[in-house]
Amino acid sequence: QEQLVESGGGLVQSGGSLRLSCAASGIIFSLYGMAWYRQAPGKQRELVAGITNYGNTNYADSVKGRFTISRDNAKNTVYLQMNSLEPEDTAVYYCNARLRINNLWGQGTQVTVSS
């Protein structure tokens, strides 16, 4: 069964750090492009960061220099290291895996940044 399971969310003060993890199962992880999206209350879901199966990365302008996406193909896991968190980063963060027409989503993990 194809599945993505996120972990690592929580409550943190402004300026703090969190690391999100997304463990994949049921897919050939090394072939998939992976990404993190987020959705704040009342807003559309937006791309935060992506990493191709080759390891090329891209970031939303709002998180460049603060967030880092990485992947460990041996562990079938993608990470999002989030530093210098701001209240505007508060959202549900979703993991995404994409390979041609196959597009998978995790259940999401809540990140709350207090001021």
Side-chain angles (χ1 to χ4, degrees):
Q1 181 182 359
E2 300 173 338
Q3 191 174 18
L4 301 176
V5 179
E6 300 102 333
S7 60
L11 174 63
V12 64
Q13 288 189 332
S14 181
S17 298
L18 284 174
R19 188 175 83 153
L20 305 183
S21 300
C22 171
S25 58
I27 62 173
I28 303 176
F29 180 78
S30 61
L31 297 181
Y32 279 70
M34 302 298 298
W36 288 95
Y37 286 75
R38 68 185 180 187
Q39 188 167 19
K43 295 188 177 181
Q44 289 189 330
R45 190 172 297 189
E46 63 175 356
L47 175 67
V48 176
I51 184 167
T52 69
N53 57 322
Y54 295 108
N56 296 321
T57 59
N58 64 287
Y59 297 92
D61 287 343
S62 59
V63 307
K64 281 181 182 176
R66 300 188 298 122
F67 292 10
T68 302
I69 188 171
S70 61
R71 63 190 297 160
D72 185 338
N73 289 342
K75 295 182 178 180
N76 289 356
T77 301
V78 63
Y79 304 97
L80 185 67
Q81 178 66 45
M82 305 185 294
N83 299 328
S84 301
L85 282 161
E86 304 166 353
E88 293 72 25
D89 297 315
T90 295
V92 178
Y93 284 69
Y94 296 91
C95 180
N96 173 262
R98 184 170 297 182
L99 175 63
R100 292 190 282 273
I101 64 170
N102 203 11
N103 191 25
L104 305 175
W105 292 94
Q107 82 287 351
T109 185
Q110 175 71 46
V111 171
T112 303
V113 184
S114 64
S115 57

